[in-house]
Amino acid sequence: MLRRAARSFVSSPPQILMLGFFVIILLGSCLLMLPFAHVAEKPPHVIDALFTAASATSVTGLAVVDTGTYWTTAGQVIILVMIQIGGLGFMTVATLFAIFLKRKISLREKLVLQQALNQTSMEGIVRLVRRVLLYAFVIEGVGAALFSIRFMFDMPLGTAIYRGVFHSISLFNNAGFDIMGNYRSLVDYVGDPVINIVAMLLIILGGLGFVVLADLVDWRKPHWKLSLHSKVVLTTTGLLIVGGAVFILLLEYTNEATLGSLNFGEKLLASFMQSVSPRTAGVNSIDIGSLRQATQLIIIVLMFIGTSPGSTGGGIKTTTFAVLIGSFITMLRGKEDVIFFRRRLADERVYKALTITLLSFTLVTLATMILSTTEDHHFLMLLFEVTSAFGTVGLTTGLTVQLTFAGKIIIIFLMFIGRVGVLTLTFTVGSKQEKVLHREAEGKIILG
């Protein structure tokens, strides 16, 4: 009886995804409270362990305690494992074990994988998972090697390799956790081209989405052409990164607390780093709390947009933003169809983009309103924290460590929803979609 009730409760792929991430967070928080996971004599407060586990599994990076000094090596490894599972998706990792054990993937599991990877069809889903795992491990391995070589000049070999591996996995999965200590992130390497370029490449590759990576890898095949999805993702990502970097450079150029004291090359590098990081990576090479309010607002917008579908990051996604802009331009031109690269988008795509944006905007607005009653801080500071949590970014102006118990609960909820997606939440708690057998008569209302 109980088994039948449980099956009916988690009957759909969205429900399975939400339950899976929830279980991982609970398990991770329990492990972090064990004596070997933390440096302090007393175990961390339950809410702090839960917050850290939720942040790691949702690949956010917000931290209520310093990752580099509070947790032992074992604790940091636990966090790293949760980051890897959260970034790739627990169903992708489960499929990896199934492949090793030569177990057949069931139809139900393929449906969940389709939902997790934002695919429109189950065709070739297992083959895509194999490529996802291959790309992830290769990119993380190369990133770890480059980081380790650079860190060898500043620290012992063992420490350099460990930090190289940790930061490569964290950055590729757009997690934003760092073990530099004292919440320093990459501030000590603000002018280092190797660290910054490798970090940005890892963040961008993790944020493009595995479908786009697979498309780019296939460029040597005969008659190869980029898919419409890949074209939109690459174009939108490039414009957001360059546009964000230009705005940050102009707004912070004379700010002595951020870019003002750097030479032009370092200013340019730091500007691009701060523009790439809101792709939901969460690392920073300058003090986010010292940024001017206009710059923080720009970063809030970038965090809200986030990465691309099927990637390791969050946000409303670059394609959703592109469809909204396309709809806006179409309306201004007096046209009917949204067209990208000589291809018309179905109305259903436009409606879905509007739904995702409205749901996300509503969630961020409500969370900010609630947080403004539980936390005694400036409104922009609260909005920045909420957007960072929802977009699974991890950037903070310094509010995270000052959150109240209620504030931590709100941020945990936002990180969780940001990882599973607002539509997944809607499909989980909402009723099943039914096919419409008839349409009502058309009516007209006045707009504008």
Side-chain angles (χ1 to χ4, degrees), residues 366-383:
L366 288 175
T368 305
M369 290 172 60
I370 297 173
L371 212 62
S372 65
T373 64
T374 63
E375 317 297 315
D376 186 19
H377 293 282
H378 192 273
F379 175 79
L380 187 62
M381 196 175 185
L382 299 175
L383 179 61

Side-chain angles (χ1 to χ4, degrees), residues 24 28 35 57 71 84 109 123 125 160 181 183 200 206 250 276 313 319 328 369 386-387 404 418 438:
I24 293 169
T57 306
W71 306 108
Q84 188 73 87
E109 291 168 339
E123 183 180 357
I125 194 70
Y183 302 99
M200 285 188 284
L250 293 176
V276 169
T319 48
F328 172 72
M369 290 172 60
V386 166
T387 310
T404 62
H438 71 282

Side-chain angles (χ1 to χ4, degrees), residues 311-347:
S311 70
T312 58
I316 64 170
K317 310 300 182 185
T318 53
T319 48
T320 302
F321 176 71
V323 171
L324 291 177
I325 297 300
S327 302
F328 172 72
I329 295 174
T330 298
M331 183 61 68
L332 288 182
R333 290 180 175 178
K335 305 291 183 178
E336 292 185 0
D337 298 324
V338 178
I339 298 175
F340 288 140
F341 299 100
R342 299 183 180 180
R343 292 291 185 272
R344 176 178 59 85
L345 294 186
D347 291 340

Side-chain angles (χ1 to χ4, degrees), residues 44 53 111 133 142 144-145 186 240 292 308 337 340-341 360 410 417 448:
L111 285 170
L133 294 168
V142 173
L186 299 181
L240 287 172
R292 288 169 174 154
S308 303
D337 298 324
F340 288 140
F341 299 100
S360 302
I410 294 169
I417 298 305

